[in-house]
Amino acid sequence: MLIYFTKDEGISLEHHRGVETIDANILFLLVRSSVEPVAQAFSTLKQMNVWVHNAYDHEIEIQNESIFVFQLRGHPWSLIYKPHIFSRRIFLTEEDACSISELLNTSAIYYAGSDTCGTLEYHLYSNGISQEKLSFEEGIKKEYQSQLRQVKARNIKSAYAFTMNFIREQDAYIPCLIEVEGLSAGQRTTLRIDDLIPNEVERMDYLTQQ
């Protein structure tokens, strides 16, 4: 499976925090919990009827609606990731982050960034309640709401630096996964992301529909 994990090699992955890069199209849901309850909540929410536990570095059968739920070693957040190379009946949305946050009584973040469109967005929920949201489009809009601090959108000089600091403050990390080649439904492959070695992964589960 040709998905590459790109990271700064200056420090160990365990200590990476913030946003790895803004020069990519990235979409993640982050949930402050371990993989097991996050995968359970997402599979219930989206009616995913196939759940492969501890799938990293093991052979799986790829389906069109492929979702990876994983936690990096040394990190408190689990990430929900849907490769762009698969079909789009299932999306990752802000509403999903809100629902999972409420279901698990924890925090969740919806994060979406596109260097192609010059956009950036994050939305933090706690126990299903919106805590902070930033929505930015280069040269067009910069919108910001927060229950946590008194900051006006007009006072945010750089949406990118502001977002980087926010993600770091949450003790979270937005990695960069680069997709190079797709797979066909029904094809068997070893679930592995290049440059992400097994001992850097606390756990990765695979969810899909059949």
Side-chain angles (χ1 to χ4, degrees):
M1 178 177 292
L2 292 183
I3 300 177
Y4 291 88
F5 191 98
T6 65
K7 61 181 183 291
D8 180 359
E9 299 294 344
I11 59 175
S12 68
L13 183 58
E14 174 177 12
H15 297 109
H16 281 231
R17 295 297 187 273
V19 181
E20 182 63 42
T21 182
I22 60 170
D23 295 323
N25 297 324
I26 297 173
L27 174 60
F28 283 105
L29 302 185
L30 294 83
V31 186
R32 197 176 181 96
S33 185
S34 58
V35 167
E36 179 79 20
V38 175
Q40 178 67 68
F42 190 82
S43 63
T44 300
L45 188 66
K46 295 292 194 177
Q47 299 180 326
M48 312 293 281
N49 60 0
V50 175
W51 178 3
V52 183
H53 299 69
N54 295 297
Y56 196 71
D57 214 29
H58 291 82
E59 188 177 84
I60 59 171
E61 182 175 323
I62 291 292
Q63 302 296 327
N64 280 328
E65 299 301 328
S66 291
I67 301 290
F68 304 151
V69 182
F70 66 98
Q71 184 177 19
L72 300 172
R73 188 149 293 158
H75 291 251
W77 297 76
S78 291
L79 296 98
I80 303 173
Y81 169 66
K82 178 178 175 62
H84 302 294
I85 53 181
F86 296 116
S87 69
R88 292 306 187 95
R89 291 199 312 272
I90 291 180
F91 296 87
L92 303 183
T93 68
E94 291 183 71
E95 289 74 18
D96 295 334
C98 179
S99 297
I100 293 175
S101 169
E102 184 175 16
L103 282 169
L104 299 182
N105 296 311
T106 189
S107 298
I109 299 171
Y110 170 87
Y111 175 88
S114 172
D115 65 334
T116 304
C117 300
T119 58
L120 182 67
E121 182 175 357
Y122 71 77
H123 200 154
L124 169 68
Y125 296 91
S126 179
N127 302 324
I129 299 172
S130 175
Q131 299 295 303
E132 185 163 309
K133 179 178 182 179
L134 182 144
S135 182
F136 171 77
E137 187 171 359
E138 193 77 50
I140 296 177
K141 71 171 182 177
K142 181 169 55 181
E143 299 173 351
Y144 176 74
Q145 302 171 12
S146 180
Q147 303 300 317
L148 305 176
R149 48 189 169 176
Q150 298 297 318
V151 177
K152 300 294 185 182
R154 64 177 178 269
N155 295 327
I156 300 174
K157 294 181 179 179
S158 168
Y160 300 109
F162 191 85
T163 300
M164 173 69 81
N165 290 333
F166 168 79
I167 297 297
R168 284 176 175 160
E169 288 164 3
Q170 306 311 309
D171 197 22
Y173 174 56
I174 307 291
C176 179
L177 301 184
I178 304 297
E179 300 165 22
V180 179
E181 183 178 309
L183 294 166
S184 301
Q187 185 175 345
R188 298 195 67 83
T189 186
T190 298
L191 178 54
R192 187 180 297 129
I193 297 175
D194 283 9
D195 299 321
L196 183 62
I197 58 179
N199 67 10
E200 292 178 318
V201 180
E202 184 67 34
R203 174 169 163 179
M204 180 180 288
D205 287 9
Y206 176 71
L207 303 175
T208 188
Q209 288 179 340
Q210 281 186 338

